[in-house]
Amino acid sequence: MSGATLTIRRPDDWHLHLRDGAMMEGVLPCSAAHFARAIIMPNLSPPVVTAHDAASYRDRILAALPKGSEFEPLMTLYLTENTDPADVKAAADSGLVKAVKLYPAGATTNSADGVRDFDRIRGVLEVMAETRLPLCVHGEVTRPEVDIFDREAVFIDEVLDPIRRRTPGLRVVMEHITTAEAVAYATDGGGDLGATITVQHLMLDRNDMLAGGIRPHFYCLPILKRGTHRPALVKAATSGNPAFFLGTDSAPHATAAKESACGCAGCFTAPVALACLAEVFDTAAALDRLEGFASKHGASFYGLPLNDAKITLRKGDPVEFPRLVQTGDGPVTVFDPGKPVHWRVAS
Ligand code: DOR
Ligand code: ZN
């Protein structure tokens, strides 16, 4: 199969961290080179909370795009306990905002302004159910007594399912799912429930991160799980079920902040995400389903048109990807799965 090529509709990334300022300028071209659109995460410091914040962040992204790029940032709002339902409705009606992001307070990077008391966001969720604006959920409980490897499964039972039951019509994206429990929940969720899956969770498990040395560039949240979960994720991604779609969660941090006694969470996968994904689908003998997962299911869930442009991937000898991307905030280490990847984006 050496020399094979695969041409698909240009993919979208339904979960992306671009940051701001010098970091954004450094990493944005990596996503713009391969993806047509991306859902842009709002966990800046301070977060993107209002429609006004989202409009100016969007302007900064557009201004930083390489000349001629048609990459389209799809903006989100960071849900706080003080978010004004009227502002959310106006942002949705105007088309500026494509989703609202729920971070449980303390769950991950820049989540301190997230939600502690889920009763306090009921008004916003009801408006979102009416307007059909999706809620993107970082699905982990943060109670310290819950083991970090159990936080996603507990969240589904204790938070997500109750919210969905009491808010009929609410559209939810379970972001970066990592467990067989999440796959099962999303599989049975009906048309109002979707789930994104990252490249690192399709390729790695916690042994890759922790056995034989600690690999900080594999540390992300939700954390890589026990090896039994990865096949469930691969099966979901390659199943053709439109509930599952690509969200890379590419999350750049300066290398020094990752290789630290208390390292930041996030894998910077943007430059290699599609090559790695093709490897996963090829290994699963499911290359014919790659386009659905990367280029169709997410757009359908969000009610957006499919991209007409195409991208071609080519298979050959194992590829050497760049190790670092330089930014004005320092070098950022590019995700390296530690196993051969035979695919590359050709054009
Ligand atoms: O690993 C992660 N990094 N998970 C998240 O939820 C946030 C992200 C970040 O912003 O760095
Ligand atoms: Zn994220």
Side-chain angles (χ1 to χ4, degrees):
M1 171 102 177
S2 188
T5 63
L6 178 68
T7 298
I8 58 172
R9 283 178 193 272
R10 201 166 170 83
D12 302 305
D13 185 350
W14 299 100
H15 183 132
L16 175 65
H17 297 269
L18 282 179
R19 316 302 188 203
D20 211 345
M23 176 65 85
M24 175 178 72
E25 281 170 30
V27 301
L28 174 59
C30 304
S31 291
H34 295 167
F35 293 94
R37 301 170 285 199
I39 285 276
I40 309 299
M41 288 295 124
N43 64 333
L44 305 182
S45 182
V48 178
V49 172
T50 64
H52 178 263
D53 297 339
S56 40
Y57 186 29
R58 183 171 182 276
D59 288 345
R60 296 198 296 281
I61 297 168
L62 293 175
L65 275 173
K67 256 204 168 59
S69 171
E70 288 176 10
F71 177 79
E72 190 185 347
L74 307 173
M75 307 312 292
T76 63
L77 298 179
Y78 183 119
L79 181 55
T80 75
E81 292 181 3
N82 300 316
T83 294
D84 176 5
D87 187 54
V88 171
K89 183 163 170 26
D93 288 348
S94 75
L96 167 71
V97 157
K98 297 291 189 279
V100 172
K101 177 72 189 238
L102 167 60
Y103 287 106
T108 187
T109 309
N110 294 339
S111 62
D113 295 309
V115 176
R116 286 181 172 75
D117 177 355
F118 295 94
D119 281 337
R120 299 195 56 178
I121 57 169
R122 283 176 92 141
V124 175
L125 298 186
E126 271 152 29
V127 161
M128 291 177 64
E130 276 162 34
T131 55
R132 307 289 283 160
L133 185 68
L135 179 72
C136 294
V137 177
H138 183 110
E140 291 191 286
V141 292
T142 54
R143 291 201 315 281
E145 67 274 19
V146 180
D147 189 274
I148 188 168
F149 292 100
D150 298 333
R151 288 178 176 193
E152 180 175 282
V154 173
F155 183 90
I156 294 168
D157 291 342
E158 287 189 0
V159 183
L160 180 58
D161 194 57
I163 284 179
R164 291 187 63 236
R165 281 176 196 278
R166 76 167 177 243
T167 325
L170 181 66
R171 313 199 68 229
V172 172
V173 182
M174 299 170 70
E175 299 284 15
H176 41 51
I177 61 169
T178 63
T179 57
E181 288 89 340
V183 168
Y185 189 75
T187 300
D188 292 341
D192 284 344
L193 187 62
T196 59
I197 309 181
T198 77
V199 166
Q200 68 266 23
H201 291 102
L202 291 171
M203 295 189 96
L204 305 174
D205 63 43
R206 65 190 189 181
N207 274 14
D208 295 301
M209 177 174 60
L210 295 171
I214 187 161
R215 294 181 190 77
H217 296 290
F218 291 168
Y219 173 63
C220 65
L221 291 171
I223 199 158
L224 293 170
K225 300 297 190 297
R226 177 183 283 278
T228 48
H229 294 279
R230 196 182 68 83
L233 297 169
V234 171
K235 195 167 165 211
T238 58
S239 66
N241 182 337
F244 299 102
F245 40 94
L246 174 64
T248 67
D249 198 15
S250 179
H253 294 275
T255 296
K258 297 276 305 167
E259 296 175 4
S260 150
C262 184
C264 296
C267 300
F268 178 51
T269 52
V272 298
L274 290 179
C276 287
L277 197 62
E279 189 75 23
V280 169
F281 276 66
D282 192 5
T283 305
L287 280 173
D288 57 326
R289 304 237 163 114
L290 181 65
E291 184 178 49
F293 181 73
S295 314
K296 290 165 110 174
H297 301 167
S300 302
F301 185 89
Y302 278 89
L304 295 170
L306 300 184
N307 300 314
D308 287 328
K310 301 271 193 292
I311 199 167
T312 297
L313 292 137
R314 177 166 292 123
K315 186 177 185 182
D317 292 334
V319 184
E320 289 258 340
F321 293 104
R323 288 187 46 249
L324 296 172
V325 167
Q326 300 296 340
T327 79
D329 278 348
V332 178
T333 299
V334 177
F335 178 73
D336 172 0
K339 37 193 103 170
V341 174
H342 300 83
W343 290 85
R344 65 167 76 230
V345 175
S347 61

